Amino acid sequence: MAHLFNRNVLLGVTGGIAAYKSAELIRQLQERGARVRVIMTGAAQEFITPLTLQALSGNPVHTDLLDAEAEQGMGHIELARWADLLVVAPATADLLARLVAGRADDLLTTVALATPSPILLAPAMNQQMWRDPATSRNVATLLERGMKMIGPAEGLQACGDIGPGRMEEPATIAEAAEALFESGILSGKRVLITAGPTREALDPVRYISNHSSGKMGYALARAAAEAGARTILVSGPVRLDTPEHVERVAVNSAQEMLEACMARLTDCDIFIGCAAVADYRPAEWQSEKIKKSDQEMTLRLVRNPDIVASVAAAEPRPFTVGFAAETNNVIEHAREKLLRKRLDMIIANDVSDERIGFNSDFNAATVLWPEGEQALPQASKENLARQIIALVAGQLPVVN
Ligand code: PMT
């Protein structure tokens, strides 16, 4: 399984002799399905050229914090948000110390501070430097803060010493990166997710719909499957591939989506309603194309069933999560929907901001449940989906 499929991996390269192995690491990450961008420190460029890593990654290499041109395109905050994972390989003793101090004096340390995503470090240094108490303390502090580490390996070093300090092999680092996305937190659970828009037909060629691309719901399905859940995606019409290990049930209208969900509820522990379901459908469906005649035409619409509320009213019911797409008083309206629809959790989504929400690759949300809430700052939908799945797993009732 390509666990890094569709993942944005930002590779930080610092100034150590192992920097030459970063070239192979890019290939290993790409083979596992990742999109790779590279940040190099000044010292790293003494060991390997940005051109080499640009050619391999297929993207310009980022080197400067204060580069006006870069800031107009993919600046440091955009890079930090783009990344689903920051891998630093090699990570020198100096880089570890600067991370501990929270420095932001070059692009790599600034992005490390600014990213909401996990950080994986592959240390590489002389064995005595690795054994030094200062480095040991730095490593312990970074692990305590939640950063992950792979290696170093033991063996003959470039300086002639033998001991711990060699950077792990690129394939091992790529495997560690993959493993970060396999949490197992929903292992044994059955998850049903709705995604995309619904289409409410007027006649054989016309319909009422909305701008939902399905990206958020598909990212949730991928995150749920990677968390070990048996995942079914009931999807309106979208142009997306079905995530690996996810079963997709294709529907068009709200009524079809409701039927597909209700038929699968007995086998469901968690329901997540992410679809942008049309609230109304045309009162009549014309079997032949409606001809234009008068200057004006009146459409009569009737209410569609509320799918997430129907699921929450079922007996027995799964842990039921809804979304609230709002343009004003976002949290207030979302909390009202949480109570009115009797949900266990709701994801408040401000869709007035065009950079996030409908159709964008990015989103930001506040997750609300009866006794609490958590804001999730802007990140890729893949990243946000993993955070939502972690919060859902954390709120599930404990079964004895
Ligand atoms: O698909 P993308 O382009 O990635 O965009 C993602 C998204 C913006 C569509 C998604 O993040 C989102 O906010 N989905 C919910 C959209 C919506 O219909 O919100 P709502 O506030 O109108 O509905 C509240 C909840 O009721 C939602 O869980 C919705 O799925 C559900 N609902 C609504 C109407 C209805 N008839 N049946 C429902 O189940």
mmCIF file of all heavy atoms in Angstrom, residues 194-197 210-217 238 254 271-280 303-309 321-326 337 341 343 346-349 351 357-360 363 381, ligand 1:
data_model
loop_
_atom_site.group_PDB
_atom_site.id
_atom_site.type_symbol
_atom_site.label_atom_id
_atom_site.label_comp_id
_atom_site.label_asym_id
_atom_site.label_seq_id
_atom_site.Cartn_x
_atom_site.Cartn_y
_atom_site.Cartn_z
ATOM 1 N N THR A 194 -20.222 10.228 4.260
ATOM 2 C CA THR A 194 -20.813 10.774 3.034
ATOM 3 C C THR A 194 -19.916 11.893 2.532
ATOM 4 O O THR A 194 -19.286 12.599 3.312
ATOM 5 C CB THR A 194 -22.235 11.326 3.258
ATOM 6 O OG1 THR A 194 -22.162 12.471 4.119
ATOM 7 C CG2 THR A 194 -23.155 10.284 3.841
ATOM 8 N N ALA A 195 -19.865 12.042 1.190
ATOM 9 C CA ALA A 195 -18.978 13.060 0.610
ATOM 10 C C ALA A 195 -19.572 13.595 -0.681
ATOM 11 O O ALA A 195 -20.400 12.944 -1.316
ATOM 12 C CB ALA A 195 -17.615 12.443 0.329
ATOM 13 N N GLY A 196 -19.100 14.777 -1.051
ATOM 14 C CA GLY A 196 -19.477 15.362 -2.343
ATOM 15 C C GLY A 196 -20.841 16.029 -2.308
ATOM 16 O O GLY A 196 -21.474 16.138 -1.253
ATOM 17 N N PRO A 197 -21.294 16.473 -3.466
ATOM 18 C CA PRO A 197 -22.600 17.135 -3.553
ATOM 19 C C PRO A 197 -23.699 16.112 -3.838
ATOM 20 O O PRO A 197 -23.403 14.950 -4.102
ATOM 21 C CB PRO A 197 -22.422 18.026 -4.786
ATOM 22 C CG PRO A 197 -21.533 17.208 -5.676
ATOM 23 C CD PRO A 197 -20.630 16.392 -4.778
ATOM 24 N N ASN A 210 -24.369 21.837 -5.953
ATOM 25 C CA ASN A 210 -23.510 22.843 -5.300
ATOM 26 C C ASN A 210 -22.055 22.566 -5.638
ATOM 27 O O ASN A 210 -21.744 21.647 -6.397
ATOM 28 C CB ASN A 210 -23.757 22.840 -3.789
ATOM 29 C CG ASN A 210 -23.485 21.475 -3.200
ATOM 30 O OD1 ASN A 210 -22.365 20.981 -3.217
ATOM 31 N ND2 ASN A 210 -24.545 20.823 -2.712
ATOM 32 N N HIS A 211 -21.154 23.353 -5.034
ATOM 33 C CA HIS A 211 -19.743 23.313 -5.447
ATOM 34 C C HIS A 211 -18.896 22.296 -4.692
ATOM 35 O O HIS A 211 -17.665 22.325 -4.800
ATOM 36 C CB HIS A 211 -19.113 24.700 -5.252
ATOM 37 C CG HIS A 211 -19.685 25.728 -6.169
ATOM 38 N ND1 HIS A 211 -19.514 25.669 -7.535
ATOM 39 C CD2 HIS A 211 -20.437 26.828 -5.930
ATOM 40 C CE1 HIS A 211 -20.125 26.693 -8.084
ATOM 41 N NE2 HIS A 211 -20.717 27.410 -7.142
ATOM 42 N N SER A 212 -19.479 21.411 -3.934
ATOM 43 C CA SER A 212 -18.652 20.453 -3.193
ATOM 44 C C SER A 212 -17.874 19.561 -4.166
ATOM 45 O O SER A 212 -18.434 18.978 -5.083
ATOM 46 C CB SER A 212 -19.542 19.582 -2.293
ATOM 47 O OG SER A 212 -18.782 18.521 -1.771
ATOM 48 N N SER A 213 -16.557 19.463 -3.917
ATOM 49 C CA SER A 213 -15.686 18.647 -4.777
ATOM 50 C C SER A 213 -15.537 17.226 -4.246
ATOM 51 O O SER A 213 -15.043 16.353 -4.950
ATOM 52 C CB SER A 213 -14.294 19.282 -4.828
ATOM 53 O OG SER A 213 -13.736 19.281 -3.505
ATOM 54 N N GLY A 214 -15.881 17.023 -2.981
ATOM 55 C CA GLY A 214 -15.684 15.708 -2.353
ATOM 56 C C GLY A 214 -14.333 15.572 -1.664
ATOM 57 O O GLY A 214 -14.084 14.587 -0.971
ATOM 58 N N LYS A 215 -13.444 16.584 -1.827
ATOM 59 C CA LYS A 215 -12.065 16.418 -1.320
ATOM 60 C C LYS A 215 -12.024 16.182 0.189
ATOM 61 O O LYS A 215 -11.262 15.349 0.672
ATOM 62 C CB LYS A 215 -11.226 17.661 -1.656
ATOM 63 C CG LYS A 215 -10.887 17.783 -3.136
ATOM 64 C CD LYS A 215 -10.158 19.092 -3.409
ATOM 65 C CE LYS A 215 -9.977 19.316 -4.899
ATOM 66 N NZ LYS A 215 -9.486 20.675 -5.200
ATOM 67 N N MET A 216 -12.851 16.920 0.937
ATOM 68 C CA MET A 216 -12.816 16.778 2.405
ATOM 69 C C MET A 216 -13.286 15.377 2.818
ATOM 70 O O MET A 216 -12.658 14.711 3.645
ATOM 71 C CB MET A 216 -13.697 17.862 3.045
ATOM 72 C CG MET A 216 -13.568 17.998 4.537
ATOM 73 S SD MET A 216 -11.960 18.623 5.040
ATOM 74 C CE MET A 216 -11.382 17.311 6.091
ATOM 75 N N GLY A 217 -14.398 14.936 2.221
ATOM 76 C CA GLY A 217 -14.949 13.622 2.582
ATOM 77 C C GLY A 217 -14.012 12.490 2.177
ATOM 78 O O GLY A 217 -13.860 11.508 2.918
ATOM 79 N N VAL A 238 -18.445 13.052 -8.040
ATOM 80 C CA VAL A 238 -17.209 13.847 -7.958
ATOM 81 C C VAL A 238 -16.168 13.251 -8.892
ATOM 82 O O VAL A 238 -16.325 12.123 -9.350
ATOM 83 C CB VAL A 238 -16.633 13.863 -6.513
ATOM 84 C CG1 VAL A 238 -17.587 14.523 -5.542
ATOM 85 C CG2 VAL A 238 -16.282 12.464 -6.046
ATOM 86 N N ALA A 254 -30.136 13.239 -2.879
ATOM 87 C CA ALA A 254 -30.186 13.129 -1.423
ATOM 88 C C ALA A 254 -30.962 11.874 -1.011
ATOM 89 O O ALA A 254 -30.589 11.174 -0.066
ATOM 90 C CB ALA A 254 -30.840 14.373 -0.835
ATOM 91 N N PHE A 271 -20.506 7.363 12.007
ATOM 92 C CA PHE A 271 -21.038 7.961 10.780
ATOM 93 C C PHE A 271 -20.517 9.395 10.698
ATOM 94 O O PHE A 271 -20.615 10.147 11.673
ATOM 95 C CB PHE A 271 -22.572 7.964 10.807
ATOM 96 C CG PHE A 271 -23.181 8.645 9.612
ATOM 97 C CD1 PHE A 271 -23.413 7.944 8.434
ATOM 98 C CD2 PHE A 271 -23.481 9.998 9.654
ATOM 99 C CE1 PHE A 271 -23.952 8.580 7.325
ATOM 100 C CE2 PHE A 271 -24.023 10.639 8.549
ATOM 101 C CZ PHE A 271 -24.268 9.933 7.382
ATOM 102 N N ILE A 272 -19.974 9.769 9.550
ATOM 103 C CA ILE A 272 -19.519 11.159 9.367
ATOM 104 C C ILE A 272 -20.218 11.739 8.134
ATOM 105 O O ILE A 272 -20.003 11.269 7.006
ATOM 106 C CB ILE A 272 -17.989 11.260 9.202
ATOM 107 C CG1 ILE A 272 -17.271 10.573 10.370
ATOM 108 C CG2 ILE A 272 -17.562 12.731 9.079
ATOM 109 C CD1 ILE A 272 -15.751 10.599 10.293
ATOM 110 N N GLY A 273 -21.075 12.721 8.357
ATOM 111 C CA GLY A 273 -21.822 13.343 7.252
ATOM 112 C C GLY A 273 -21.076 14.562 6.750
ATOM 113 O O GLY A 273 -21.234 15.654 7.288
ATOM 114 N N CYS A 274 -20.268 14.362 5.726
ATOM 115 C CA CYS A 274 -19.476 15.483 5.177
ATOM 116 C C CYS A 274 -20.091 15.992 3.871
ATOM 117 O O CYS A 274 -19.723 17.042 3.364
ATOM 118 C CB CYS A 274 -18.040 15.013 4.955
ATOM 119 S SG CYS A 274 -16.961 16.286 4.339
ATOM 120 N N ALA A 275 -21.036 15.228 3.317
ATOM 121 C CA ALA A 275 -21.613 15.620 2.019
ATOM 122 C C ALA A 275 -22.350 16.946 2.129
ATOM 123 O O ALA A 275 -22.915 17.281 3.173
ATOM 124 C CB ALA A 275 -22.585 14.536 1.558
ATOM 125 N N ALA A 276 -22.309 17.696 1.043
ATOM 126 C CA ALA A 276 -23.110 18.918 0.940
ATOM 127 C C ALA A 276 -24.435 18.497 0.301
ATOM 128 O O ALA A 276 -24.588 18.506 -0.923
ATOM 129 C CB ALA A 276 -22.379 19.953 0.109
ATOM 130 N N VAL A 277 -25.345 18.057 1.158
ATOM 131 C CA VAL A 277 -26.623 17.507 0.686
ATOM 132 C C VAL A 277 -27.559 18.668 0.338
ATOM 133 O O VAL A 277 -27.704 19.595 1.141
ATOM 134 C CB VAL A 277 -27.282 16.653 1.797
ATOM 135 C CG1 VAL A 277 -28.548 15.973 1.281
ATOM 136 C CG2 VAL A 277 -26.299 15.633 2.350
ATOM 137 N N ALA A 278 -28.179 18.602 -0.827
ATOM 138 C CA ALA A 278 -29.122 19.670 -1.194
ATOM 139 C C ALA A 278 -30.294 19.647 -0.218
ATOM 140 O O ALA A 278 -30.890 18.595 0.029
ATOM 141 C CB ALA A 278 -29.633 19.443 -2.620
ATOM 142 N N ASP A 279 -30.605 20.804 0.352
ATOM 143 C CA ASP A 279 -31.707 20.857 1.320
ATOM 144 C C ASP A 279 -33.065 20.695 0.642
ATOM 145 O O ASP A 279 -34.030 20.247 1.249
ATOM 146 C CB ASP A 279 -31.670 22.191 2.076
ATOM 147 C CG ASP A 279 -30.500 22.234 3.052
ATOM 148 O OD1 ASP A 279 -30.256 21.207 3.701
ATOM 149 O OD2 ASP A 279 -29.822 23.280 3.137
ATOM 150 N N TYR A 280 -33.135 21.090 -0.632
ATOM 151 C CA TYR A 280 -34.407 21.008 -1.373
ATOM 152 C C TYR A 280 -34.203 20.293 -2.706
ATOM 153 O O TYR A 280 -33.105 20.297 -3.257
ATOM 154 C CB TYR A 280 -34.926 22.424 -1.676
ATOM 155 C CG TYR A 280 -35.369 23.161 -0.431
ATOM 156 C CD1 TYR A 280 -34.453 23.922 0.299
ATOM 157 C CD2 TYR A 280 -36.691 23.092 0.009
ATOM 158 C CE1 TYR A 280 -34.847 24.594 1.448
ATOM 159 C CE2 TYR A 280 -37.089 23.768 1.160
ATOM 160 C CZ TYR A 280 -36.169 24.513 1.872
ATOM 161 O OH TYR A 280 -36.562 25.165 3.002
ATOM 162 N N ARG A 303 -38.616 20.027 0.610
ATOM 163 C CA ARG A 303 -37.487 19.685 1.486
ATOM 164 C C ARG A 303 -36.998 18.261 1.233
ATOM 165 O O ARG A 303 -37.778 17.341 1.041
ATOM 166 C CB ARG A 303 -37.917 19.782 2.958
ATOM 167 C CG ARG A 303 -37.900 21.181 3.529
ATOM 168 C CD ARG A 303 -36.496 21.726 3.718
ATOM 169 N NE ARG A 303 -35.808 21.134 4.845
ATOM 170 C CZ ARG A 303 -35.864 21.630 6.073
ATOM 171 N NH1 ARG A 303 -36.562 22.719 6.312
ATOM 172 N NH2 ARG A 303 -35.216 21.046 7.056
ATOM 173 N N ASN A 304 -35.687 18.095 1.265
ATOM 174 C CA ASN A 304 -35.097 16.764 1.227
ATOM 175 C C ASN A 304 -35.021 16.202 2.643
ATOM 176 O O ASN A 304 -34.989 16.967 3.616
ATOM 177 C CB ASN A 304 -33.668 16.854 0.665
ATOM 178 C CG ASN A 304 -33.622 16.506 -0.806
ATOM 179 O OD1 ASN A 304 -34.433 15.713 -1.295
ATOM 180 N ND2 ASN A 304 -32.686 17.099 -1.519
ATOM 181 N N PRO A 305 -34.929 14.887 2.775
ATOM 182 C CA PRO A 305 -34.723 14.322 4.117
ATOM 183 C C PRO A 305 -33.365 14.759 4.663
ATOM 184 O O PRO A 305 -32.430 14.984 3.883
ATOM 185 C CB PRO A 305 -34.742 12.808 3.875
ATOM 186 C CG PRO A 305 -34.432 12.641 2.423
ATOM 187 C CD PRO A 305 -34.936 13.875 1.724
ATOM 188 N N ASP A 306 -33.262 14.906 5.977
ATOM 189 C CA ASP A 306 -31.975 15.243 6.596
ATOM 190 C C ASP A 306 -31.273 13.937 6.956
ATOM 191 O O ASP A 306 -31.699 13.211 7.865
ATOM 192 C CB ASP A 306 -32.201 16.109 7.842
ATOM 193 C CG ASP A 306 -30.895 16.705 8.328
ATOM 194 O OD1 ASP A 306 -29.922 15.937 8.498
ATOM 195 O OD2 ASP A 306 -30.843 17.933 8.510
ATOM 196 N N ILE A 307 -30.190 13.645 6.230
ATOM 197 C CA ILE A 307 -29.552 12.326 6.369
ATOM 198 C C ILE A 307 -28.887 12.169 7.738
ATOM 199 O O ILE A 307 -29.104 11.180 8.439
ATOM 200 C CB ILE A 307 -28.516 12.119 5.235
ATOM 201 C CG1 ILE A 307 -29.235 12.182 3.885
ATOM 202 C CG2 ILE A 307 -27.784 10.793 5.395
ATOM 203 C CD1 ILE A 307 -28.346 12.302 2.688
ATOM 204 N N VAL A 308 -28.083 13.167 8.130
ATOM 205 C CA VAL A 308 -27.335 13.014 9.376
ATOM 206 C C VAL A 308 -28.287 12.964 10.579
ATOM 207 O O VAL A 308 -28.073 12.195 11.529
ATOM 208 C CB VAL A 308 -26.242 14.113 9.495
ATOM 209 C CG1 VAL A 308 -26.801 15.452 9.914
ATOM 210 C CG2 VAL A 308 -25.128 13.701 10.437
ATOM 211 N N ALA A 309 -29.396 13.736 10.500
ATOM 212 C CA ALA A 309 -30.378 13.705 11.602
ATOM 213 C C ALA A 309 -31.089 12.347 11.625
ATOM 214 O O ALA A 309 -31.398 11.822 12.703
ATOM 215 C CB ALA A 309 -31.377 14.847 11.449
ATOM 216 N N VAL A 321 -21.333 12.112 13.496
ATOM 217 C CA VAL A 321 -20.595 13.370 13.321
ATOM 218 C C VAL A 321 -21.158 14.102 12.107
ATOM 219 O O VAL A 321 -21.319 13.515 11.035
ATOM 220 C CB VAL A 321 -19.090 13.075 13.072
ATOM 221 C CG1 VAL A 321 -18.299 14.382 12.944
ATOM 222 C CG2 VAL A 321 -18.521 12.198 14.185
ATOM 223 N N GLY A 322 -21.458 15.378 12.278
ATOM 224 C CA GLY A 322 -21.914 16.181 11.140
ATOM 225 C C GLY A 322 -20.927 17.284 10.828
ATOM 226 O O GLY A 322 -19.969 17.517 11.578
ATOM 227 N N PHE A 323 -21.152 17.958 9.737
ATOM 228 C CA PHE A 323 -20.411 19.169 9.397
ATOM 229 C C PHE A 323 -21.403 20.323 9.442
ATOM 230 O O PHE A 323 -22.600 20.113 9.270
ATOM 231 C CB PHE A 323 -19.824 19.081 7.982
ATOM 232 C CG PHE A 323 -18.431 18.513 7.943
ATOM 233 C CD1 PHE A 323 -18.205 17.179 8.202
ATOM 234 C CD2 PHE A 323 -17.343 19.321 7.640
ATOM 235 C CE1 PHE A 323 -16.931 16.643 8.174
ATOM 236 C CE2 PHE A 323 -16.058 18.809 7.606
ATOM 237 C CZ PHE A 323 -15.849 17.474 7.869
ATOM 238 N N ALA A 324 -20.911 21.534 9.663
ATOM 239 C CA ALA A 324 -21.768 22.707 9.541
ATOM 240 C C ALA A 324 -21.049 23.701 8.634
ATOM 241 O O ALA A 324 -20.013 24.251 9.025
ATOM 242 C CB ALA A 324 -22.032 23.321 10.904
ATOM 243 N N ALA A 325 -21.565 23.859 7.427
ATOM 244 C CA ALA A 325 -20.972 24.826 6.492
ATOM 245 C C ALA A 325 -21.666 26.157 6.728
ATOM 246 O O ALA A 325 -22.856 26.300 6.452
ATOM 247 C CB ALA A 325 -21.165 24.345 5.060
ATOM 248 N N GLU A 326 -20.935 27.105 7.280
ATOM 249 C CA GLU A 326 -21.550 28.381 7.691
ATOM 250 C C GLU A 326 -20.779 29.559 7.106
ATOM 251 O O GLU A 326 -19.571 29.455 6.860
ATOM 252 C CB GLU A 326 -21.541 28.496 9.225
ATOM 253 C CG GLU A 326 -22.198 27.348 9.968
ATOM 254 C CD GLU A 326 -23.710 27.281 9.781
ATOM 255 O OE1 GLU A 326 -24.290 28.271 9.292
ATOM 256 O OE2 GLU A 326 -24.309 26.243 10.096
ATOM 257 N N LYS A 337 -26.747 23.383 15.543
ATOM 258 C CA LYS A 337 -26.994 22.179 14.725
ATOM 259 C C LYS A 337 -26.626 20.905 15.486
ATOM 260 O O LYS A 337 -27.287 19.875 15.359
ATOM 261 C CB LYS A 337 -26.160 22.232 13.426
ATOM 262 C CG LYS A 337 -26.829 23.016 12.328
ATOM 263 C CD LYS A 337 -26.045 22.992 11.022
ATOM 264 C CE LYS A 337 -26.694 23.961 10.037
ATOM 265 N NZ LYS A 337 -25.861 24.337 8.928
ATOM 266 N N LYS A 341 -29.759 18.448 15.786
ATOM 267 C CA LYS A 341 -29.719 17.178 15.043
ATOM 268 C C LYS A 341 -29.300 16.015 15.949
ATOM 269 O O LYS A 341 -29.121 14.911 15.496
ATOM 270 C CB LYS A 341 -28.768 17.310 13.853
ATOM 271 C CG LYS A 341 -29.185 18.401 12.859
ATOM 272 C CD LYS A 341 -28.461 18.276 11.527
ATOM 273 C CE LYS A 341 -28.859 19.419 10.591
ATOM 274 N NZ LYS A 341 -28.623 19.135 9.178
ATOM 275 N N LEU A 343 -26.395 15.332 17.447
ATOM 276 C CA LEU A 343 -25.133 14.740 16.988
ATOM 277 C C LEU A 343 -24.181 14.568 18.175
ATOM 278 O O LEU A 343 -24.341 15.193 19.226
ATOM 279 C CB LEU A 343 -24.483 15.640 15.941
ATOM 280 C CG LEU A 343 -25.375 16.020 14.750
ATOM 281 C CD1 LEU A 343 -24.627 16.939 13.796
ATOM 282 C CD2 LEU A 343 -25.833 14.767 14.012
ATOM 283 N N ILE A 346 -19.640 17.892 15.830
ATOM 284 C CA ILE A 346 -19.866 18.620 14.577
ATOM 285 C C ILE A 346 -18.602 19.395 14.209
ATOM 286 O O ILE A 346 -17.878 19.873 15.094
ATOM 287 C CB ILE A 346 -21.105 19.542 14.672
ATOM 288 C CG1 ILE A 346 -21.595 19.944 13.275
ATOM 289 C CG2 ILE A 346 -20.845 20.782 15.528
ATOM 290 C CD1 ILE A 346 -23.051 20.367 13.216
ATOM 291 N N ILE A 347 -18.351 19.466 12.913
ATOM 292 C CA ILE A 347 -17.165 20.178 12.426
ATOM 293 C C ILE A 347 -17.658 21.498 11.835
ATOM 294 O O ILE A 347 -18.320 21.498 10.793
ATOM 295 C CB ILE A 347 -16.437 19.384 11.312
ATOM 296 C CG1 ILE A 347 -16.445 17.867 11.560
ATOM 297 C CG2 ILE A 347 -15.051 19.946 11.039
ATOM 298 C CD1 ILE A 347 -15.704 17.379 12.714
ATOM 299 N N ALA A 348 -17.340 22.596 12.508
ATOM 300 C CA ALA A 348 -17.780 23.915 12.032
ATOM 301 C C ALA A 348 -16.814 24.408 10.964
ATOM 302 O O ALA A 348 -15.623 24.551 11.208
ATOM 303 C CB ALA A 348 -17.810 24.894 13.200
ATOM 304 N N ASN A 349 -17.375 24.658 9.796
ATOM 305 C CA ASN A 349 -16.556 24.986 8.634
ATOM 306 C C ASN A 349 -16.970 26.355 8.095
ATOM 307 O O ASN A 349 -18.105 26.522 7.637
ATOM 308 C CB ASN A 349 -16.856 23.902 7.564
ATOM 309 C CG ASN A 349 -15.742 23.692 6.589
ATOM 310 O OD1 ASN A 349 -15.785 22.738 5.833
ATOM 311 N ND2 ASN A 349 -14.765 24.545 6.586
ATOM 312 N N VAL A 351 -17.300 28.643 5.425
ATOM 313 C CA VAL A 351 -17.182 28.549 3.961
ATOM 314 C C VAL A 351 -17.270 29.926 3.284
ATOM 315 O O VAL A 351 -17.408 30.005 2.070
ATOM 316 C CB VAL A 351 -18.231 27.566 3.368
ATOM 317 C CG1 VAL A 351 -17.904 26.149 3.729
ATOM 318 C CG2 VAL A 351 -19.644 27.909 3.829
ATOM 319 N N GLY A 357 -12.470 25.454 2.476
ATOM 320 C CA GLY A 357 -13.860 24.984 2.323
ATOM 321 C C GLY A 357 -14.113 24.390 0.956
ATOM 322 O O GLY A 357 -13.315 23.603 0.450
ATOM 323 N N PHE A 358 -15.224 24.791 0.340
ATOM 324 C CA PHE A 358 -15.647 24.192 -0.924
ATOM 325 C C PHE A 358 -14.525 24.199 -1.962
ATOM 326 O O PHE A 358 -13.935 25.250 -2.256
ATOM 327 C CB PHE A 358 -16.830 24.965 -1.517
ATOM 328 C CG PHE A 358 -18.141 24.603 -0.873
ATOM 329 C CD1 PHE A 358 -18.698 25.397 0.112
ATOM 330 C CD2 PHE A 358 -18.817 23.447 -1.245
ATOM 331 C CE1 PHE A 358 -19.905 25.064 0.708
ATOM 332 C CE2 PHE A 358 -20.027 23.094 -0.657
ATOM 333 C CZ PHE A 358 -20.568 23.907 0.321
ATOM 334 N N ASN A 359 -14.224 23.042 -2.502
ATOM 335 C CA ASN A 359 -13.358 22.866 -3.659
ATOM 336 C C ASN A 359 -11.870 23.146 -3.430
ATOM 337 O O ASN A 359 -11.041 22.792 -4.263
ATOM 338 C CB ASN A 359 -13.873 23.740 -4.819
ATOM 339 C CG ASN A 359 -13.543 23.104 -6.143
ATOM 340 O OD1 ASN A 359 -13.007 21.991 -6.180
ATOM 341 N ND2 ASN A 359 -13.833 23.785 -7.216
ATOM 342 N N SER A 360 -11.510 23.790 -2.347
ATOM 343 C CA SER A 360 -10.101 24.099 -2.094
ATOM 344 C C SER A 360 -9.368 22.827 -1.638
ATOM 345 O O SER A 360 -9.989 21.853 -1.220
ATOM 346 C CB SER A 360 -10.026 25.155 -1.000
ATOM 347 O OG SER A 360 -8.730 25.235 -0.475
ATOM 348 N N ASN A 363 -8.378 23.519 4.303
ATOM 349 C CA ASN A 363 -9.550 23.789 5.129
ATOM 350 C C ASN A 363 -9.091 24.181 6.538
ATOM 351 O O ASN A 363 -7.939 23.940 6.915
ATOM 352 C CB ASN A 363 -10.463 22.551 5.194
ATOM 353 C CG ASN A 363 -11.919 22.926 5.369
ATOM 354 O OD1 ASN A 363 -12.247 24.094 5.598
ATOM 355 N ND2 ASN A 363 -12.806 21.951 5.275
ATOM 356 N N LYS A 381 -6.472 19.448 3.414
ATOM 357 C CA LYS A 381 -7.629 18.643 3.838
ATOM 358 C C LYS A 381 -7.182 17.274 4.347
ATOM 359 O O LYS A 381 -7.804 16.708 5.251
ATOM 360 C CB LYS A 381 -8.636 18.524 2.695
ATOM 361 C CG LYS A 381 -9.450 19.798 2.545
ATOM 362 C CD LYS A 381 -10.535 19.728 1.501
ATOM 363 C CE LYS A 381 -11.337 21.044 1.543
ATOM 364 N NZ LYS A 381 -12.201 21.232 0.375
HETATM 365 O O1 PMT B 1 -16.350 18.715 -0.827
HETATM 366 P P1 PMT B 1 -15.317 19.821 -0.605
HETATM 367 O O2 PMT B 1 -15.152 20.687 -1.852
HETATM 368 O O3 PMT B 1 -14.024 19.292 -0.100
HETATM 369 O O4 PMT B 1 -15.895 20.816 0.506
HETATM 370 C C1 PMT B 1 -16.055 20.365 1.807
HETATM 371 C C2 PMT B 1 -17.360 20.887 2.437
HETATM 372 C C3 PMT B 1 -17.292 22.406 2.565
HETATM 373 C C4 PMT B 1 -18.571 20.482 1.578
HETATM 374 C C5 PMT B 1 -17.471 20.194 3.847
HETATM 375 O O5 PMT B 1 -16.354 20.555 4.629
HETATM 376 C C6 PMT B 1 -18.730 20.604 4.568
HETATM 377 O O6 PMT B 1 -18.809 21.625 5.250
HETATM 378 N N1 PMT B 1 -19.798 19.738 4.424
HETATM 379 C C7 PMT B 1 -21.138 20.006 4.965
HETATM 380 C C8 PMT B 1 -21.916 20.784 3.967
HETATM 381 C C9 PMT B 1 -23.336 21.044 4.413
HETATM 382 O O7 PMT B 1 -24.264 20.632 3.762
HETATM 383 O O8 PMT B 1 -23.456 21.684 5.570
HETATM 384 P P2 PMT B 1 -24.866 22.087 6.253
HETATM 385 O O9 PMT B 1 -24.484 23.011 7.352
HETATM 386 O O10 PMT B 1 -25.822 22.582 5.225
HETATM 387 O O11 PMT B 1 -25.400 20.733 6.826
HETATM 388 C C10 PMT B 1 -25.176 20.305 8.172
HETATM 389 C C11 PMT B 1 -25.001 18.820 8.229
HETATM 390 O O12 PMT B 1 -26.205 18.181 7.835
HETATM 391 C C12 PMT B 1 -23.909 18.255 7.324
HETATM 392 O O13 PMT B 1 -23.281 17.199 8.015
HETATM 393 C C13 PMT B 1 -24.686 17.720 6.121
HETATM 394 O O14 PMT B 1 -24.003 16.606 5.518
HETATM 395 C C14 PMT B 1 -25.980 17.277 6.789
HETATM 396 N N2 PMT B 1 -27.164 17.309 5.926
HETATM 397 C C15 PMT B 1 -27.613 18.484 5.417
HETATM 398 C C16 PMT B 1 -28.793 18.496 4.680
HETATM 399 C C17 PMT B 1 -29.477 17.282 4.468
HETATM 400 N N3 PMT B 1 -30.584 17.235 3.758
HETATM 401 N N4 PMT B 1 -28.986 16.132 4.968
HETATM 402 C C18 PMT B 1 -27.847 16.131 5.705
HETATM 403 O O15 PMT B 1 -27.407 15.083 6.170
#
